[in-house]
Amino acid sequence: MPSMVSSQGTGNVGESKTKGRPRGRPRSFDRATALEKALLAFWEHGYEATSVSDLTRVMDIGAPSLYAAFGDKRSLFEEVVQEYGTRYGFVVDRALTEEPTARAAVERTLREVAVQYTEPGHPHGCLVIHAAANCATPEVEQSLRERRNANIAAFETRIKADIATGELPPGADAAALARHTGAMIQGMSQQARDGASREELEALAEIAMAIWPRT
């Protein structure tokens, strides 16, 4: 009889411990994966249209975890833009650094964005351009505008340098050529979102380069 009581008691204790113990290890928080999901959400829908609840859903985390890991929505977006620049926004810098002339750098930029803006695996177009659409947050709008204008300024500087060395004719309008390049990049982004193919955007790039002055 004592052994039966002891056996029953031992079974109850073991059952209690089993019920109280969590099954498996708690799921760890993968910050890089969460950031990637936020990047795709902002890229697809823009800054203003992407709510905190949208972000917590796609990132698969609660709002407290989002705030703890990234701060508020604006802080998360700033990090997303930095990540986007590192992974996708290097086209202009690389072209200006590696190509021997402004013309070659612009042509390479337009051809590469035609590919990038239409490739599968992520939303079409450019995050920095699309995220500014209907943006009602002045600080975010200003930050994105500064990024776009920085690219135009970089092209203008390079074009002026080519004018100075005789690569481009002295009468070339550096500011207008740089602004035209910016307009093409932004327009190609929207065209990609509207369904334009890589080949169609490459055709636009070819037409855009036909207006460039030659010595």
Side-chain angles (χ1 to χ4, degrees), residues 42 47 50 52 55 66-67 70-81 137-143:
F42 281 125
Y47 178 80
T50 306
V52 172
L55 292 166
L66 186 152
Y67 293 129
F70 299 101
D72 58 12
K73 174 184 169 181
R74 180 180 161 194
S75 298
L76 170 59
F77 181 70
E78 289 174 354
E79 187 167 346
V80 159
V81 172
T137 306
E139 296 83 0
V140 172
E141 185 180 21
Q142 177 64 24
S143 175

Side-chain angles (χ1 to χ4, degrees), residues 165-177:
T165 60
E167 181 67 35
L168 289 170
D173 189 332
L177 284 171

Side-chain angles (χ1 to χ4, degrees), residues 68-101:
F70 299 101
D72 58 12
K73 174 184 169 181
R74 180 180 161 194
S75 298
L76 170 59
F77 181 70
E78 289 174 354
E79 187 167 346
V80 159
V81 172
Q82 291 291 337
E83 178 70 10
Y84 177 85
T86 300
R87 295 176 55 185
Y88 301 100
F90 53 80
V91 171
V92 171
D93 290 342
R94 188 171 63 184
L96 287 171
T97 299
E98 297 178 0
E99 295 301 322
T101 65

Side-chain angles (χ1 to χ4, degrees), residues 5 8 46 61 75 96 102 107 123 137 142 146 148 164 178 186-187 198 206 215:
V5 172
Q8 185 178 11
I61 59 175
S75 298
L96 287 171
E107 183 172 11
T137 306
Q142 177 64 24
E146 288 173 355
R148 296 191 299 272
Q186 294 172 33
R198 168 182 172 177
E206 185 174 348
T215 53

Side-chain angles (χ1 to χ4, degrees), residues 59-192:
M59 297 166 76
D60 195 24
I61 59 175
S65 297
L66 186 152
Y67 293 129
F70 299 101
D72 58 12
K73 174 184 169 181
R74 180 180 161 194
S75 298
L76 170 59
F77 181 70
E78 289 174 354
E79 187 167 346
V80 159
V81 172
Q82 291 291 337
E83 178 70 10
Y84 177 85
T86 300
R87 295 176 55 185
Y88 301 100
F90 53 80
V91 171
V92 171
D93 290 342
R94 188 171 63 184
L96 287 171
T97 299
E98 297 178 0
E99 295 301 322
T101 65
R103 180 190 178 87
V106 169
E107 183 172 11
R108 174 174 170 177
T109 296
L110 296 182
R111 292 191 178 280
E112 289 193 1
V113 298
V115 175
Q116 185 188 101
Y117 288 173
T118 57
E119 65 186 355
H122 59 68
H124 286 178
C126 172
L127 180 148
V128 174
I129 295 169
H130 176 59
N134 301 317
C135 182
T137 306
E139 296 83 0
V140 172
E141 185 180 21
Q142 177 64 24
S143 175
L144 296 174
R145 183 186 304 114
E146 288 173 355
R147 285 179 173 273
R148 296 191 299 272
N149 285 338
N151 282 340
I152 294 173
F155 283 123
E156 183 175 353
T157 297
R158 184 61 180 277
I159 293 167
K160 286 179 177 178
D162 279 8
I163 294 172
T165 60
E167 181 67 35
L168 289 170
D173 189 332
L177 284 171
R179 185 69 62 181
H180 175 262
T181 301
M184 288 302 305
I185 292 171
Q186 294 172 33
M188 289 169 71
S189 173
Q190 185 59 53
Q191 287 287 308

